[in-house]
Amino acid sequence: MITYIKWDSEFFGYNIGNCVIADYNNFNFSEFKVKSNKFKLVYLFSKEPLNHKELKLVDIKVTFKKATSILDESNEVNNINLFSNNNDDFSTLEKLALTSGEYSRFRIDENFKNNEFEALYKKWIRSFVYNKDNVDVIIYKEQRRILGFTTLEGVNENLCDIGLVAVNQNERGKKIGTKLINFTLNKAFEKGFKEVKVVTQFDNKPAINLYEKCGFKRSKLKYIYHYWNL
């Protein structure tokens, strides 16, 4: 079954559908193709690979989870704080948000030709900062410059989500990402969450290495395909 995605369709300006493949062994592509006619784009999600030449594999999504805990006193938390609308530069945060989507399917799929990737990630970070009360935007600053950030959002009373993570490309290798993730875990613990999840792309090896180094364990894989009616 293909369901209409209202938010994506309205944001991108064309009909987009969503298809979750429950039984990948019996996936009928011909039937799917007929039902997809009213959509310009359909996202397909599967727990296993789908072998069909007309489906474009755009992402293998990796979900990590970790129990929350308090920071050890030896962990550095200097230069880390919550983003402030009054004191911090949103334009720098916005640029960093775009670097967080380096491996995004909205960036690597060449059929997106109207700056959809940039518009989407700018929308996300603006929403996190200005439109959501239950999101913390945590920043790392040196000499008043934002060099990295994470976002933390509650999913339910026990689980929270690290949505976006970014470090300035010229400042990588300085453990800024590690400090931000550890601080974010501590913030989640303080808020009473028992578990934190974070999702990244299988091809994003630096992010995977960071999360594993910070004690996250892989929870599941999800294969994501795009089917276009061009």
Side-chain angles (χ1 to χ4, degrees):
M1 177 183 294
I2 304 174
T3 58
Y4 174 74
I5 307 178
K6 185 176 186 291
W7 193 95
D8 292 48
S9 299
E10 292 179 351
F11 185 77
F12 291 135
Y14 44 80
N15 285 348
I16 298 179
N18 183 77
C19 182
V20 178
I21 311 300
D23 185 0
Y24 52 87
N25 288 319
N26 295 311
F27 173 60
N28 188 323
F29 178 76
S30 298
E31 181 180 335
F32 161 81
K33 192 171 183 178
V34 171
K35 293 181 178 179
S36 72
N37 282 339
K38 63 181 179 181
F39 302 98
K40 181 175 180 179
L41 169 62
V42 179
Y43 310 147
L44 298 96
F45 300 88
S46 175
K47 293 181 180 179
E48 296 290 338
L50 301 172
N51 296 316
H52 199 286
K53 62 182 180 181
E54 292 188 51
L55 296 178
K56 181 180 182 64
L57 178 64
V58 291
D59 192 5
I60 304 174
K61 198 72 72 180
V62 189
T63 298
F64 289 88
K65 288 187 176 181
K66 186 182 190 304
T68 58
S69 59
I70 197 72
L71 277 176
D72 184 83
E73 291 182 0
S74 64
N75 281 294
E76 297 182 39
V77 295
N78 295 331
N79 305 319
I80 301 179
N81 214 320
L82 297 182
F83 180 86
S84 167
N85 293 327
N86 297 323
N87 301 320
D88 298 315
D89 180 18
F90 178 77
S91 64
T92 299
L93 193 69
E94 191 175 58
K95 291 176 183 176
L96 281 170
L98 294 180
T99 69
S100 74
E102 182 179 357
Y103 294 87
S104 168
R105 59 192 171 99
F106 298 99
R107 182 176 183 273
I108 66 172
D109 188 340
E110 66 276 5
N111 286 314
F112 289 116
K113 298 178 180 178
N114 298 310
N115 295 317
E116 286 97 336
F117 161 71
E118 290 86 354
L120 182 62
Y121 274 71
K122 287 180 179 180
K123 176 75 172 180
W124 278 346
I125 191 60
R126 183 168 291 276
S127 177
F128 285 148
V129 171
Y130 296 111
N131 301 331
K132 291 187 175 184
D133 296 329
N134 66 328
V135 176
D136 289 325
V137 178
I138 299 164
I139 59 173
Y140 181 97
K141 290 175 66 176
E142 288 183 359
Q143 299 177 350
R144 299 184 179 181
R145 294 175 56 236
I146 301 176
L147 302 182
F149 80 94
T150 64
T151 64
L152 182 68
E153 181 176 13
V155 177
N156 56 48
E157 62 181 10
N158 293 316
L159 177 67
C160 59
D161 177 63
I162 297 176
L164 295 178
V165 179
V167 174
N168 185 301
Q169 292 177 336
N170 297 322
E171 305 292 337
R172 294 175 183 175
K174 299 180 180 180
K175 297 186 177 180
I176 293 173
T178 301
K179 294 174 184 178
L180 278 167
I181 293 297
N182 284 336
F183 186 94
T184 304
L185 286 168
N186 185 55
K187 177 64 68 173
F189 180 86
E190 290 176 352
K191 286 176 168 287
F193 295 107
K194 292 181 172 57
E195 193 172 38
V196 179
K197 76 176 178 70
V198 62
V199 180
T200 192
Q201 300 84 11
F202 185 80
D203 289 338
N204 192 347
K205 303 305 181 186
I208 287 176
N209 291 337
L210 170 63
Y211 302 140
E212 290 181 340
K213 183 169 62 175
C214 291
F216 283 82
K217 302 297 182 184
R218 296 191 191 193
S219 172
K220 62 181 178 180
L221 287 179
K222 182 184 295 182
Y223 295 80
I224 305 177
Y225 298 82
H226 285 171
Y227 177 77
W228 292 86
N229 282 308
L230 300 175

